[in-house]
Amino acid sequence: MLYDVNTGKRIKKPYNYISWVHSVLKMPNYSLKQCFYGEHLIKTSTRPIAIVESEKTAIIASVFLPEFTWIASGSLSNLSYEKTKVLKGRQVVLFPDLGVYDRWKEKIVSLHPDADYQISDLLERKATAQQRKQGLDIADYLLELDVDRYVNN
């Protein structure tokens, strides 16, 4: 993935700038099976799990809100029954980007049922029309804070 050095946002135009090794090597029978970004952290943590879409967001949020174990789905379609099996017995809070709250909320019923799911509507309640249009996520708000002042208090 390619990120803009000034904004920290992914560059998606004129194309997505994502490549996969199995595609580059032309492996037609390759079966890609992804896990959550940060899934390895679940085994060693007793904190509630927070799920966001972007890997970058999981990293940023972990600095500001260390009371959660932050993982990322990589996309809405990657939030699935199969992937959420690892969340068995855990408290899970979903933090959707602006504009996809309803889709994430609907998705909860199709996730593995042995986790306690909640969904944060904080961004939906607080966002301006312009922020909604931009599709901001929780990291965009957290980056407006002074991390040293926030974390050390």
Side-chain angles (χ1 to χ4, degrees):
M1 286 185 203
L2 182 63
Y3 289 88
D4 183 288
V5 295
N6 297 313
T7 66
K9 301 279 186 196
R10 269 190 45 212
I11 297 175
K12 298 179 182 179
K13 293 181 181 179
Y15 57 92
N16 235 345
Y17 295 94
I18 296 175
S19 60
W20 297 93
V21 171
H22 64 278
S23 296
V24 172
L25 296 177
K26 299 184 185 350
M27 301 169 70
N29 296 326
Y30 185 82
S31 177
L32 178 66
K33 183 177 178 189
Q34 293 179 283
C35 65
F36 286 114
Y37 174 83
E39 186 173 307
H40 65 288
L41 302 171
I42 295 171
K43 292 180 183 177
T44 59
S45 173
T46 58
R47 295 173 289 185
I49 307 298
I51 301 178
V52 292
E53 188 172 331
S54 164
E55 296 85 348
K56 179 186 78 170
T57 298
I59 293 167
I60 292 167
S62 71
V63 173
F64 286 91
L65 300 166
E67 61 269 25
F68 291 99
T69 297
W70 291 88
I71 62 176
S73 64
S75 73
L76 177 61
S77 62
N78 284 337
L79 187 59
S80 67
Y81 179 91
E82 189 63 34
K83 283 176 88 170
T84 54
K85 284 181 178 179
V86 298
L87 304 175
K88 183 177 180 178
R90 303 299 295 266
Q91 290 182 316
V92 180
V93 181
L94 305 176
F95 288 88
D97 296 358
L98 281 171
V100 295
Y101 174 86
D102 290 335
R103 290 173 52 200
W104 278 52
K105 189 171 184 175
E106 291 170 5
K107 189 99 171 168
I108 290 174
V109 298
S110 66
L111 303 180
H112 197 277
D114 292 337
D116 178 18
Y117 299 100
Q118 298 175 26
I119 186 164
S120 172
D121 66 351
L122 177 65
L123 299 185
E124 292 297 322
R125 288 185 287 115
K126 300 292 184 181
T128 66
Q130 179 63 25
Q131 291 167 332
R132 288 179 197 290
K133 186 177 178 181
Q134 292 173 309
L136 300 184
D137 65 18
I138 193 169
D140 295 308
Y141 289 89
L142 292 172
L143 288 172
E144 296 295 319
L145 303 173
D146 177 354
V147 69
D148 291 327
R149 185 172 169 194
Y150 187 83
V151 172
N152 292 324
N153 286 327

